[in-house]
Amino acid sequence: MMKDHEKINIDINIGGEPLRLTVPFGKQDFTRDVELEVNNLFTTWRRRFPNKTEKGLLAMMLYQYASYYKELTEKYQEGVLKAEECLARLADGNGNDSAE
């Protein structure tokens, strides 16, 4: 039996383009879910924007997913800073903000 972290090759299809990926064994379902989500968006936008080229649609999708990623990265960093702040307060022993 393969371990979840061992890598496997998996074939997916995005907007009619076949892709071969190497993913951890335990991420197969995640990879298929991503493939499904991207293809659902592609199909939806293909109907909504019939005059756009496939290249144009893929560019729009790339921007959307990249903007989501950037936003999540910023929120993650904010969360890390907040967690560090909380840990520093706990390390002070009183848990009170010195500005209060």
Side-chain angles (χ1 to χ4, degrees), residues 56-76:
L57 289 173
L58 291 172
M60 290 167 53
M61 292 170 58
L62 175 63
Y63 177 81
Q64 178 168 312
Y65 282 105
S67 67
Y68 288 164
Y69 177 78
K70 179 150 181 61
E71 184 177 345
L72 285 173
T73 300
E74 289 173 357
K75 288 181 186 229
Y76 174 80

Side-chain angles (χ1 to χ4, degrees), residues 44-89:
T44 298
W45 283 6
R46 167 56 54 222
R47 277 187 246 125
R48 189 177 298 162
F49 306 105
N51 295 328
K52 288 274 183 194
T53 64
E54 286 189 0
K55 186 176 178 180
L57 289 173
L58 291 172
M60 290 167 53
M61 292 170 58
L62 175 63
Y63 177 81
Q64 178 168 312
Y65 282 105
S67 67
Y68 288 164
Y69 177 78
K70 179 150 181 61
E71 184 177 345
L72 285 173
T73 300
E74 289 173 357
K75 288 181 186 229
Y76 174 80
Q77 287 301 325
E78 290 170 10
V80 167
L81 292 174
K82 192 63 158 172
E84 288 172 350
E85 180 184 311
C86 291
L87 288 172
R89 287 182 184 177

Side-chain angles (χ1 to χ4, degrees), residues 1-18:
M1 181 91 185
M2 293 190 82
K3 295 181 181 169
D4 280 350
H5 66 277
E6 290 184 76
K7 303 277 184 164
I8 63 165
N9 291 327
I10 187 169
D11 294 318
I12 67 170
N13 188 299
I14 301 291
E17 288 293 320

